[in-house]
Amino acid sequence: MSHETNIKELLQEAWSKRRVGNYDEARDLVKKAQSLCKKDDHLFLGRIYHIYMQFESDQDNYAEALALCQQSLEHYMKTGNPNLIAHSTRHIADLQRHLGLNIDSEHNYRKAIDIYRNNANTTQGELANALRGFGILLEELGKVEEAIAVWKETKELYDACDIQEGVDEANDKLDLLLD
């Protein structure tokens, strides 16, 4: 089995363990994967720091999660993969929003959304997720007209992806904003 296959399998298993709340085993798997990485395995290192970020975010440790997400982004920047760069940038914006860093958060949402819009490989779900967080921030900032436009697009994208929970949330947000 190749070095890349081992790392990939360990990270997939770690993500599965995290989803069921088994953080100790998940952390051990990520550490094992990290120990197999070379200094230039930026794709895997980006994923490793993303998983570490998610562990902290799950526990509402947003400041630590933000630092880890920034490390993830640094590695993804070295891969040149726009979707991974946008994904990490969106997570940074989410974490900044949770921390009340609204100016930075707005900047990073706009950056992530711009990357997604200019990449033919972006899925509707990726763009919808970025717009969702941005819509929440715009509401908090009192930018109602822009929030309405963002939530309308978010609803369309989630509908196209057949993600009813996203459609329902967008409808609820629009109901509140349009009152």
Side-chain angles (χ1 to χ4, degrees), residues 54-104:
Q54 195 63 59
F55 293 159
E56 296 303 321
S57 181
D58 289 349
Q59 304 302 314
D60 298 334
N61 298 327
Y62 298 123
E64 180 63 24
L66 178 59
L68 291 163
C69 198
Q70 288 167 331
Q71 287 182 271
S72 176
L73 177 60
E74 287 175 23
H75 286 287
Y76 285 150
M77 294 286 284
K78 292 175 184 174
T79 71
N81 182 313
N83 273 18
L84 294 173
I85 292 166
H87 185 76
S88 278
T89 302
R90 190 267 294 178
H91 276 285
I92 286 171
D94 289 341
L95 293 164
Q96 289 168 327
R97 178 173 45 83
H98 284 295
L99 290 166
L101 304 171
N102 294 339
I103 292 170
D104 293 334

Side-chain angles (χ1 to χ4, degrees), residues 10 30 34 127 163:
L10 288 166
V30 175
Q34 189 172 9
L127 180 56
I163 300 174

Side-chain angles (χ1 to χ4, degrees), residues 140-163:
E140 291 173 5
L141 295 175
K143 297 183 178 186
V144 175
E145 292 304 315
E146 190 174 10
I148 290 169
V150 165
W151 280 112
K152 285 180 179 178
E153 184 178 3
T154 303
K155 176 184 170 180
E156 289 174 15
L157 291 167
Y158 279 136
D159 191 40
C161 295
D162 200 29
I163 300 174

Side-chain angles (χ1 to χ4, degrees), residues 113-128:
I113 291 164
D114 186 55
I115 294 168
Y116 279 139
R117 289 193 193 286
N118 289 302
N119 182 358
N121 295 320
T122 297
T123 67
Q124 291 175 320
E126 290 169 326
L127 180 56

Side-chain angles (χ1 to χ4, degrees), residues 7-71:
I7 295 170
K8 186 176 182 179
E9 287 179 1
L10 288 166
L11 294 177
Q12 287 172 337
E13 188 177 350
W15 194 253
S16 295
K17 298 285 185 191
R18 178 216 147 239
R19 282 193 169 157
V20 296
N22 192 338
Y23 289 96
D24 291 336
E25 280 187 54
R27 281 184 203 283
D28 289 343
L29 290 163
V30 175
K31 285 178 187 174
K32 186 173 181 182
Q34 189 172 9
S35 74
L36 297 174
C37 286
K38 299 173 188 165
K39 286 194 315 188
D40 63 348
D41 282 336
H42 297 295
L43 185 64
F44 289 126
L45 290 167
R47 181 69 181 151
I48 284 166
Y49 283 102
H50 178 86
I51 295 171
Y52 283 141
M53 174 276 299
Q54 195 63 59
F55 293 159
E56 296 303 321
S57 181
D58 289 349
Q59 304 302 314
D60 298 334
N61 298 327
Y62 298 123
E64 180 63 24
L66 178 59
L68 291 163
C69 198
Q70 288 167 331
Q71 287 182 271

